[in-house]
Amino acid sequence: MRQMRVRAMRLLMTFALMLCLPLSAWAKGILRDPDIEYALGRLAGPIFDAAGLSAARMKIVVIHDDQPNAFVADTSHVFLHSGLLLRSIRRPKYRR
């Protein structure tokens, strides 16, 4: 009986470890550059106004990730991946 509990505990710990390991690989850093944040805020201002949002309240955060992605977490934060910015710079038809 004791051996069965030890085996079950090992299996449970192995499973928990397998769940936790990939999380560290998904962790991304936030790029902080006042000039980029200001420029993105100026570019996005008309979009926020058209959506009925206050451009002064909106915060654009750049996440260091090569994937072209963006998402909104709440009513005042827009997250952009650096990969999206880099791809938009390389393709002039998307630039303003």
Side-chain angles (χ1 to χ4, degrees):
M1 186 69 160
R2 184 181 185 301
Q3 190 177 25
M4 226 164 134
R5 273 189 275 167
V6 170
R7 182 179 280 171
M9 186 59 109
R10 283 184 186 164
L11 182 62
L12 181 63
M13 294 300 283
T14 302
F15 182 69
L17 183 62
M18 287 173 48
L19 286 176
C20 293
L21 284 178
L23 294 178
S24 63
W26 291 335
K28 304 292 180 185
I30 295 177
L31 299 177
R32 299 300 314 243
D33 186 336
D35 294 331
I36 292 175
E37 291 172 3
Y38 175 77
L40 290 172
R42 296 280 300 193
L43 285 171
I47 297 169
F48 295 146
D49 291 338
L53 301 170
S54 169
R57 286 190 53 212
M58 298 302 293
K59 176 92 171 133
I60 298 176
V61 180
V62 180
I63 298 174
H64 182 64
D65 191 335
D66 294 335
Q67 297 298 315
N69 198 5
F71 59 94
V72 177
D74 55 28
T75 59
S76 61
H77 291 88
V78 176
F79 294 88
L80 300 174
H81 286 198
S82 58
L84 180 64
L85 297 175
L86 291 173
R87 285 190 174 100
S88 67
I89 291 170
R90 291 185 195 136
R91 295 186 180 134
K93 66 180 177 182
Y94 295 120
R95 281 197 349 203
R96 184 175 186 197

